[in-house]
Amino acid sequence: MHFASLLILALANTAFANSSTGCKKELPPAFPNPGESTPLDLPGTDRDYRLYIPSNYNPKNPTPLYISLHGANRNMDEQERLSQFSNPLFNPDGIAVYPNSRNGYWLSNPKAHTSRPNDLDYMYDLITHLEDKLCIDRNRIYAAGKSNGAGFAGVMACNATVGSKIAAFASVSGGYYNISDIPGLGPCSPAPRDEGYPFLEFHGTKDTISPYDGGGRDDKRPVIDVLEEWAGRNGCPKDARWNSNVTVFEHPLVKHASWNCGGKKGIVQHYREGDWGHCWASTVPNGDTEAFWKQCIPGKYVFNATEVIFDFFSGYQLKA
């Protein structure tokens, strides 16, 4: 056999080395057709979720999975419209899932009384269920969220069981609480791994729901504290400041900060959005420009957070 043929065979074997048990299986009848999304119930639970399958889905090809978590008082349908993870312009070939909280709030929010600690169990069961039914590349599972969902993505990252399944995390207008104060959670304890914990954060300086400097409703934590802690978990010295902090847009002002930790360039990144509020940045109107119209003014945005998120995720995967 020629060397080129051996190389192709080796790459194919590597791709399947961490593929899920759902590979080569037909789509379950209840699942959406490729190119569509649909609401589904998670078997054996009282929880539901919305699932999107890309139009080019092939059960023989391991496919990345993107998790998009809604904010407080929101739901899976609103999060699909807001985050646009089902939009082929941003996500041409990945599976997207929109989990639904039990009562409109995710674990870490003080109002999530019925979700402690079930939300973490739910996420683990949901990922495992999708791995069993779909051909998923288990090296390329990612999680992002808005507001309370963004904060919960951080809770997932801090959990050694659920977080160990996810290659990278993104947070938009995150509501960050002290998880040490939440019964059954304790301090942030991610599973040790050589790849580190890639973390991307977006936040508006005029956010009154999850204030940039902390406080507000339920006494949220300052954004910089959260970023520096993730830098520390990735090998940076305690309270390490960014390695670069540059202006990427002048009007309105958007600055991009980046931390290089443990030999990993840009493992923690942050977009500081001047004069913006509690918004998912988008160059076209979205759910936030309707719900938070005083803070999220249509036509004011100069970039798409979703595009940046997918670009960030593309740089990371777990080791087989």
Side-chain angles (χ1 to χ4, degrees):
M1 185 177 291
H2 293 295
F3 174 77
S5 299
L6 289 171
L7 179 60
I8 292 172
L9 180 60
L11 291 172
N13 289 336
T14 300
F16 269 92
N18 207 32
S19 60
S20 70
T21 56
C23 290
K24 300 183 181 179
K25 292 182 179 179
E26 293 185 3
L27 286 175
F31 277 27
N33 293 321
E36 299 176 357
S37 70
T38 194
L40 296 163
D41 294 325
L42 181 62
T45 74
D46 61 349
R47 308 297 293 265
D48 58 345
Y49 64 99
R50 175 171 282 277
L51 178 67
Y52 166 78
I53 296 177
S55 59
N56 59 359
Y57 174 75
N58 185 334
K60 296 181 180 179
N61 293 335
T63 305
L65 172 65
Y66 301 99
I67 301 167
S68 184
L69 298 152
H70 67 76
N73 279 320
R74 300 284 170 165
N75 60 49
M76 58 188 183
D77 300 324
E78 292 172 303
Q79 183 62 14
E80 181 180 38
R81 293 192 294 270
L82 177 65
S83 68
Q84 293 289 300
F85 275 27
S86 302
N87 188 337
L89 292 175
F90 301 117
N91 176 22
D93 56 10
I95 298 165
V97 62
Y98 306 89
N100 221 19
S101 65
R102 183 186 297 276
N103 62 351
Y105 301 96
W106 292 109
L107 179 66
S108 78
N109 190 303
K111 296 179 180 178
H113 304 297
T114 61
S115 297
R116 301 192 177 111
N118 185 261
D119 277 342
L120 288 171
D121 298 335
Y122 163 54
M123 291 306 307
Y124 185 86
D125 291 344
L126 176 59
I127 294 171
T128 302
H129 171 68
L130 294 175
E131 288 175 336
D132 182 60
K133 300 300 181 183
L134 297 168
C135 191
I136 291 173
D137 184 343
R138 294 185 295 178
N139 290 334
R140 295 188 294 160
I141 300 177
Y142 308 93
K146 165 73 192 294
S147 192
N148 181 203
F152 181 55
V155 172
M156 291 166 59
C158 285
N159 182 266
T161 301
V162 178
S164 65
K165 285 182 162 291
I166 300 172
F169 304 84
S171 170
V172 179
S173 303
Y176 307 113
Y177 301 89
N178 189 343
I179 64 172
S180 298
D181 297 337
I182 299 172
L185 281 184
C188 182
S189 301
R193 65 191 196 195
D194 294 337
E195 304 94 321
Y197 316 98
F199 188 78
L200 169 66
E201 210 275 347
F202 303 81
H203 225 100
T205 60
K206 300 298 184 180
D207 192 332
T208 60
I209 296 173
S210 297
Y212 196 92
D213 294 322
R217 300 178 187 175
D218 306 313
D219 194 25
K220 297 181 179 72
R221 305 185 63 218
V223 172
I224 189 62
D225 289 359
V226 175
L227 291 165
E228 289 179 350
E229 286 173 3
W230 279 112
R233 295 182 191 110
N234 279 294
C236 275
K238 181 177 175 59
D239 301 328
R241 303 294 283 180
W242 47 74
N243 296 94
S244 66
N245 188 19
V246 299
T247 297
V248 289
F249 295 104
E250 291 282 358
H251 304 291
L253 180 65
V254 180
K255 303 202 74 173
H256 175 236
S258 180
W259 284 255
N260 305 331
C261 306
K264 303 173 183 67
K265 185 175 181 179
I267 191 77
V268 176
Q269 298 187 31
H270 170 55
Y271 284 82
R272 185 179 188 271
E273 303 157 357
D275 295 325
W276 293 5
H278 196 67
C279 316
W280 189 291
S282 174
T283 56
V284 298
N286 60 21
D288 279 351
T289 57
E290 298 171 4
F292 305 109
W293 58 271
K294 289 185 178 180
Q295 297 189 46
C296 311
I297 302 171
K300 188 174 182 179
Y301 304 99
V302 288
F303 74 99
N304 291 296
T306 303
E307 183 178 10
V308 177
I309 289 170
F310 275 88
D311 183 64
F312 179 76
F313 284 166
S314 70
Y316 298 99
Q317 59 181 298
L318 299 177
K319 293 182 179 178

